[in-house]
Amino acid sequence: MRRGGAWIAALLLTVCSAPSQAATWTVSAGTSVDQHDWTPAAALDVWGKPYELGSGRLQWRPVAALTAIAGHEATWRPGSDRNVWIGSGGAAFSLRDSGWFLALQAGAVDRITPGLSSHFQFVSSLGWHGSRLQLQLRHISNGRIGGGPNLGESMLLVGVRL
């Protein structure tokens, strides 16, 4: 198994062992761009139980995600045609009952590409969710940690909360 694959397997085992009644699952699909090249993307997010911060208006909850990005068609960049899986975990912050959220996660990729140039990645998402619909902008990049350029992948995802 590749170096990033072990981290993804451990994350998935942790997420799948969480009590189902405490978790909210979201399945999303959309598009991703690394610099100029667009490609399909999909994600499975698992949201834990919310906890109040301070006066109770601000909440946080644990969140884990498995994101898949299809290979880009930019054949002039070696490695850009690789499909990539990213496993990540962290916290999501929101204002109670507003639907708006900011999620910050650390993650690992199963293989590197020109856009995701190291196995360690940061995942940040800004979005809104209703009772069933979720919209989000997600950015994945290495923050110049772990070597390689900091190009990243940015995506627009539309999802359904299960």
Side-chain angles (χ1 to χ4, degrees):
M1 184 178 290
R2 291 180 188 91
R3 198 169 41 170
W7 285 99
I8 293 171
L11 176 69
L12 288 176
L13 182 61
T14 303
V15 168
C16 292
S17 64
S20 61
Q21 68 272 15
T24 302
W25 297 72
T26 304
V27 177
S28 302
T31 187
S32 180
V33 62
D34 64 352
Q35 279 187 302
H36 308 287
D37 303 310
W38 295 86
T39 193
L44 172 66
D45 296 345
V46 182
W47 299 70
K49 174 185 169 187
Y51 297 94
E52 294 184 0
L53 290 172
S55 65
R57 177 113 171 96
L58 183 62
Q59 296 179 327
W60 79 274
R61 62 179 66 202
V63 63
L66 179 62
T67 305
I69 303 171
H72 293 272
E73 293 184 18
T75 56
W76 54 273
R77 288 186 309 173
S80 63
D81 60 340
R82 298 176 179 159
N83 296 333
V84 179
W85 291 87
I86 303 102
S88 58
F93 302 91
S94 62
L95 294 175
R96 185 170 27 110
D97 301 326
S98 74
W100 292 98
F101 65 87
L102 171 67
L104 303 170
Q105 302 172 53
V109 300
D110 66 336
R111 59 181 62 177
I112 60 173
T113 67
L116 302 173
S117 58
S118 67
H119 286 283
F120 179 76
Q121 299 291 322
F122 294 105
V123 180
S124 53
S125 302
L126 177 64
W128 174 88
H129 63 80
S131 60
R132 299 278 298 178
L133 179 68
Q134 179 169 298
L135 305 170
Q136 66 179 306
L137 294 171
R138 177 171 287 174
H139 181 73
I140 302 172
S141 70
N142 67 6
R144 294 203 189 274
I145 295 175
N150 187 29
L151 301 176
E153 292 268 355
S154 297
M155 56 202 75
L156 175 62
L157 299 169
V158 177
V160 176
R161 297 177 63 151
L162 307 175

